[in-house]
Amino acid sequence: MKLGDGVEAAIHCAATLASVDGNSTMPGAALAEAFGLSPSYLLKHLNQLTAARILESLPGPAGGYRLARAAEQITLLDVVLAIEGREPAFRCGEIRQRGPVKIDASAYVKPCGINAAMLKAERAYRAALAEVKLSDIVAEYAAEGDRRSYAASCAFVERHQRPQKSASSKQT
Amino acid sequence: MKLGDGVEAAIHCAATLASVDGNSTMPGAALAEAFGLSPSYLLKHLNQLTAARILESLPGPAGGYRLARAAEQITLLDVVLAIEGREPAFRCGEIRQRGPVKIDASAYVKPCGINAAMLKAERAYRAALAEVKLSDIVAEYAAEGDRRSYAASCAFVERHQRPQKSASSKQT
DNA sequence: GAATCTATACTCGGATAAGTATTGTCCGAGTCGCTGAGG
DNA sequence: CCTCAGCGACTCGGACAATACTTATCCGAGTATAGATTC
């Protein structure tokens, strides 16, 4: 029951990328600098987000990362699953049929109640995460966050984003 | 987002101990045998449950483990927290104030919205686990589980439980 | 002067070590029950 | 025949390695840009 440290970085980066203009991109090195992280390691997580179709990456001198779709269509659950993996945290090893109590395969057609309870709890967890969109995060930050901090973040984004000529499938 | 393997073993052991009579005990070796686990390693988890006041252990030849309180007063959340630790899975490292965007300490009095959202989701997770009592697990197993499997489990418990002379603080 | 070719610098991507947490195992401290002797 | 002391065996508990995973890093593949060259 411990989330990796990369989840926090991934969400922050995604939220930052949600503030870039149109189809502009932002290099991974700039994102790493913004949060004081190791650039080489952050790329690993950004890579996972790219593989999950949350971000898209453009190579080349003017390249970088940007959201693959609108911030309203990205939830925290998407990001968490992309980093931590899609399989549930609790996986039933069926240890009840590993000891001498084991009877027959036909006796274990039903999943054990423990597994059902754990999976139900995890569904509640994921449902709560699915309700929060990336646009909610940035909106809440813009509305209730500290003005100076917000201005500084915007300035940082403005300074490091790189406009692109051809528009991708970003527009909604 | 991955629960340790010991959680499953701990819940199964607790459910098994919920079926022993009155204040009888069951050795850890018997529990390990019931699920085909390493006895030495299972003791580690049983030890955590004992430290969390969920089980109580009695040394000596007729010793073993038993529930520290009634099965109706033990939830899955208790067991999970005892094994995995009480701190939340997502801990905010405040990376937003680690880069050059950092302004001043007064700008970060509010917890960031990301942390709030993650903790809210985890509260939902824990609430779902807190609703399931250990007595529910055993009742559901007795009612809907396979008859043969249930009978075999009861026989195994009956064979390995060791009655105690003096009653402890088990009665409610 | 314009187009093209080449070299360059910057980007991401995957393969490669170090650190840490989990998993697994072993041996020692403590306690109750059994056996034998003594009253 | 009953009581008590000693011995033994069984229990849990904590200290000690092995493994897997996360974290961190480096170097290579690929691409758009800038400049130089040629027509």
Side-chain angles (χ1 to χ4, degrees):
Chain A
M1 199 55 195
K2 198 189 65 170
L3 265 67
D5 201 23
V7 175
E8 184 182 7
I11 298 177
H12 274 279
C13 288
T16 303
L17 288 174
S19 303
V20 301
D21 300 335
N23 51 12
S24 298
T25 64
M26 195 166 172
L31 289 168
E33 182 192 354
F35 300 113
L37 301 173
S38 166
S40 307
Y41 184 43
L42 183 62
L43 286 193
K44 191 182 182 70
H45 296 309
L46 295 177
N47 215 343
Q48 293 180 279
L49 294 180
T50 304
R53 301 279 188 175
I54 295 172
L55 304 184
E56 56 184 21
S57 64
L58 275 70
Y65 291 94
R66 66 183 169 197
L67 296 183
R69 54 184 185 270
E72 289 83 10
Q73 297 177 1
I74 298 176
T75 67
L76 287 188
L77 180 63
D78 296 328
V79 179
V80 171
L81 290 185
I83 300 296
E84 293 289 325
R86 301 195 71 84
E87 64 245 24
F90 182 84
R91 57 209 178 295
C92 183
E94 287 291 334
I95 62 173
R96 58 177 177 171
Q97 50 177 307
R98 285 177 53 184
V101 188
K102 174 176 168 59
I103 306 285
D104 189 66
S106 63
Y108 303 105
V109 288
K110 281 187 180 179
C112 71
I114 295 172
N115 191 24
M118 297 299 287
L119 261 58
K120 181 182 176 184
E122 193 158 356
R123 275 196 296 270
Y125 178 74
R126 296 191 174 191
L129 283 184
E131 285 179 1
V132 183
K133 292 174 291 187
L134 205 58
S135 54
D136 298 333
I137 296 290
V138 295
E140 189 260 357
Y141 181 43
E144 302 181 16
D146 185 88
R147 306 308 308 168
R148 298 164 293 170
S149 175
Y150 179 68
S153 298
C154 289
F156 189 88
V157 170
E158 196 71 26
R159 182 154 18 102
H160 286 281
Q161 69 179 0
R162 308 205 183 278
Q164 297 296 317
K165 291 178 179 176
S166 64
S168 174
S169 59
K170 177 81 183 306
Q171 286 88 343
T172 55
Chain B
M1 198 56 195
K2 197 189 63 169
L3 265 68
D5 201 24
V7 175
E8 184 182 7
I11 298 176
H12 273 280
C13 287
T16 303
L17 288 173
S19 304
V20 302
D21 300 335
N23 52 12
S24 298
T25 64
M26 196 166 171
L31 289 169
E33 182 192 352
F35 300 113
L37 299 173
S38 167
S40 307
Y41 184 42
L42 182 62
L43 287 192
K44 192 182 181 70
H45 296 308
L46 294 177
N47 216 342
Q48 293 179 280
L49 293 179
T50 305
R53 300 280 188 174
I54 294 172
L55 305 183
E56 56 185 22
S57 65
L58 276 72
Y65 291 94
R66 67 184 169 198
L67 296 183
R69 56 183 185 270
E72 289 81 11
Q73 297 177 1
I74 299 175
T75 67
L76 287 188
L77 181 63
D78 296 328
V79 178
V80 171
L81 290 185
I83 301 294
E84 293 289 325
R86 302 193 71 85
E87 64 243 24
F90 183 83
R91 55 211 178 296
C92 185
E94 288 290 336
I95 63 173
R96 58 178 179 171
Q97 51 177 304
R98 286 176 51 186
V101 187
K102 174 175 167 61
I103 305 287
D104 190 67
S106 64
Y108 303 105
V109 289
K110 281 188 180 180
C112 71
I114 295 172
N115 192 24
M118 297 298 288
L119 261 59
K120 181 181 177 185
E122 191 157 357
R123 275 195 297 270
Y125 178 76
R126 296 192 174 189
L129 283 184
E131 287 179 359
V132 182
K133 294 174 290 189
L134 205 58
S135 54
D136 299 333
I137 295 290
V138 295
E140 189 260 357
Y141 181 44
E144 302 180 18
D146 185 89
R147 306 310 308 168
R148 298 165 292 172
S149 175
Y150 179 68
S153 298
C154 289
F156 188 89
V157 169
E158 195 71 26
R159 182 152 21 101
H160 285 280
Q161 70 179 359
R162 309 206 183 276
Q164 297 295 318
K165 292 176 178 175
S166 64
S168 175
S169 61
K170 176 80 180 309
Q171 286 86 346
T172 54

